[in-house]
Amino acid sequence: MAYNLCSSPSSLCKPLCNTPSSSSRDSKSRNLNSNFYHSSKINTLTFQSRTTSLQITNVSLQDEEIPRQETSKDSNFNEETGSSSKSYIWVNPKSSRASIHRKRSYDAKYTSLVNAAKSLNSCSSNKNDVSNVLSEFDDKFLEQDAVVILNNMSNPDTALLALKFFQERLKFQREVVVYNVTLKVFRKGRDLDKAEKLFDEMLERGVKPDNFTFSTIISCARLCNLADKAVEWFEKMPSFGLEPDDVTFSTMIDSYGRAGKVEKALSLYDRARTGEWRIDATTFSTLIRIYKVAGDFDGCLNVYEEMKALGVKPNLVVYNILLDAMGRAKRPWQVKKFYQDLIDSGLSPSFATYAALLHAYGRARYGDDAIKIYREMKEKGLGIECSSL
């Protein structure tokens, strides 16, 4: 929603330009006129200064429905001349009301853009239907409006049509941003094929990808459980002159581990530790799993301790992997410790948690503990599944 300051200088100056009537002229009129001229000149200069200030701040207040009694004070509305209209008013930019109206204006426009995205998600994937939804804005789009709409979409088919609609009508300053939010739509739908095709289109249009472009495609491949594809896209980054950021490195530790490229995953982890990169709980779970599969159970514990030292809170997946690893290592005392840590952290055990506990206590011949866990499972309605273990 845009607002404009449309007050007419002539209407605002009218009260300042009233001179004494001819019937009241007397011997003192010369002095009165001289005094009035001096006062009028000062007021005119004041108005010009205010006008310049308004042009610089570019405060906008169009389309906001404001009560008549509130606008009369600030807008200098002249009822006799009708110089002001209902939709165009003047508000002092230094007034607290100006910032309130600007916020209301932005919120209202953002809401309309989000609603347009919802309509695009549900409409048919053809050019006419997409154009009909977007034509309600009368082609008064800004680059940021296109970004907001695409960023709130989830339908990849209509997102592509919306992207083309904007490309035909707007000249983008940073077209890569518009492509990136469209790639996010494909990531939501876990459609790596369309993401890769859109990347090729970017290159054909001469749009240079950035770190966000690659991290979006890599995370899309990861969500599709295509670890090899994630590795492939990660290794393309240097050819575009891009250096992965810590988030991308964190993602790739997980992707390398899932792709079975253990050495590369551990190599990136070593770089992460020395470079003080941010590593999330998901990445730590992958590292613990790598050490578990390799049979290096002390390595699992070392990663867990490093995780705590870095202030990363373990999630349920981390605890489940640790429980399974310590069970395989036949260390029931550590199984008990990690299970207590899980409960103390406020997490709720899952079926995988109970399965890991039963396997661990079974291997260690901790019969009483195994029965206790089984009863706990049964109370939660998991006893039938447990009986098949």
Side-chain angles (χ1 to χ4, degrees):
M1 178 183 296
Y3 290 101
N4 298 312
L5 287 170
C6 228
S7 296
S8 167
S10 61
S11 66
L12 289 171
C13 282
K14 207 171 276 275
L16 300 176
C17 297
N18 292 328
T19 59
S21 63
S22 58
S23 62
S24 65
R25 292 175 181 167
D26 55 14
S27 60
K28 297 180 182 180
S29 62
R30 186 172 301 172
N31 291 334
L32 289 171
N33 287 337
S34 174
N35 291 337
F36 177 80
Y37 174 78
H38 179 69
S39 174
S40 176
K41 186 174 181 181
I42 292 174
N43 288 333
T44 304
L45 287 172
T46 303
F47 169 75
Q48 291 173 346
S49 174
R50 291 170 68 187
T51 304
T52 304
S53 174
L54 292 174
Q55 291 172 347
I56 293 173
T57 54
N58 196 26
V59 176
S60 33
L61 289 175
Q62 181 183 346
D63 296 335
E64 183 72 19
E65 193 68 26
I66 303 175
R68 184 73 166 267
Q69 64 270 23
E70 291 183 13
T71 61
S72 59
K73 184 185 293 183
D74 290 336
S75 63
N76 291 328
F77 178 78
N78 191 322
E79 300 237 2
E80 294 180 0
T81 61
S83 59
S84 180
S85 66
K86 291 182 180 180
S87 58
Y88 292 90
I89 63 173
W90 180 87
V91 172
N92 187 344
K94 295 181 180 180
S95 167
S96 60
R97 292 178 61 239
S99 61
I100 293 172
H101 289 308
R102 279 196 298 268
K103 185 177 185 304
R104 288 178 179 173
S105 168
Y106 173 79
D107 290 345
K109 183 171 186 180
Y110 184 84
T111 300
S112 66
L113 295 173
V114 172
N115 288 335
K118 292 179 180 177
S119 298
L120 290 170
N121 286 334
S122 58
C123 78
S124 301
S125 56
N126 62 69
K127 186 175 181 180
N128 288 336
D129 286 357
V130 170
S131 297
N132 288 337
V133 172
L134 297 175
S135 61
E136 294 180 7
F137 292 88
D138 298 325
D139 290 341
K140 294 179 181 178
F141 280 108
L142 301 175
E143 183 171 340
Q144 64 189 31
D145 299 336
V147 172
V148 170
I149 289 176
L150 290 167
N151 193 51
N152 283 278
M153 291 189 65
S154 58
N155 186 329
D157 296 323
T158 53
L160 274 178
L161 293 171
L163 173 63
K164 295 187 184 302
F165 178 93
F166 294 128
Q167 287 174 329
E168 291 171 358
R169 290 162 176 78
L170 294 173
K171 185 176 181 181
F172 296 108
Q173 296 296 318
R174 291 203 64 213
E175 194 167 1
V176 64
V177 177
V178 186
Y179 272 107
N180 287 344
V181 291
T182 309
L183 285 169
K184 283 180 64 179
V185 179
F186 298 137
R187 184 177 66 183
K188 291 175 187 176
R190 303 191 179 193
D191 195 334
L192 183 61
D193 289 338
K194 285 183 179 176
E196 291 180 331
K197 289 177 182 177
L198 190 62
F199 181 86
D200 292 337
E201 181 188 308
M202 284 179 64
L203 300 184
E204 290 173 4
R205 288 177 63 90
V207 179
K208 184 180 178 181
D210 59 13
N211 271 40
F212 192 85
T213 308
F214 278 94
S215 64
T216 304
I217 297 176
I218 289 169
S219 57
C220 180
R222 182 183 177 188
L223 287 171
C224 295
N225 294 318
L226 298 172
D228 289 329
K229 273 289 187 180
V231 169
E232 177 186 324
W233 279 96
F234 175 74
E235 294 178 348
K236 283 182 181 179
M237 293 185 72
S239 63
F240 288 89
L242 298 173
E243 178 68 22
D245 56 19
D246 55 351
V247 176
T248 306
F249 273 122
S250 181
T251 302
M252 288 313 303
I253 292 172
D254 179 67
S255 297
Y256 274 127
R258 292 177 185 273
K261 303 186 182 224
V262 175
E263 291 301 322
K264 287 196 173 184
L266 296 178
S267 175
L268 281 182
Y269 177 55
D270 288 337
R271 290 176 62 183
R273 286 188 297 180
T274 57
E276 297 183 355
W277 298 333
R278 182 180 61 185
I279 306 177
D280 59 17
T282 302
T283 304
F284 276 111
S285 70
T286 299
L287 289 166
I288 295 171
R289 185 183 290 109
I290 288 173
Y291 282 111
K292 182 193 79 170
V293 172
D296 187 349
F297 303 115
D298 288 332
C300 295
L301 297 177
N302 290 336
V303 172
Y304 176 72
E305 292 301 325
E306 288 176 359
M307 181 181 185
K308 290 198 299 181
L310 291 172
V312 180
K313 186 177 179 181
N315 58 21
L316 186 60
V317 176
V318 169
Y319 280 118
N320 287 346
I321 296 172
L322 283 169
L323 290 171
D324 185 55
M326 295 303 103
R328 291 173 186 269
K330 295 183 179 181
R331 301 177 184 179
W333 61 92
Q334 287 180 324
V335 171
K336 285 188 175 184
K337 175 188 177 300
F338 284 126
Y339 183 58
Q340 189 59 50
D341 288 346
L342 185 156
I343 299 299
D344 292 343
S345 66
L347 295 171
S348 298
S350 65
F351 177 77
T353 308
Y354 288 123
L357 288 169
L358 284 173
H359 288 147
Y361 292 144
R363 288 190 185 99
R365 301 188 182 280
Y366 274 40
D368 292 340
D369 293 289
I371 291 173
K372 181 180 177 181
I373 291 298
Y374 173 72
R375 287 173 178 169
E376 188 175 329
M377 290 182 70
K378 193 172 181 181
E379 289 175 1
K380 295 185 177 182
L382 300 174
I384 295 176
E385 289 86 346
C386 176
S387 62
S388 63
L389 292 175

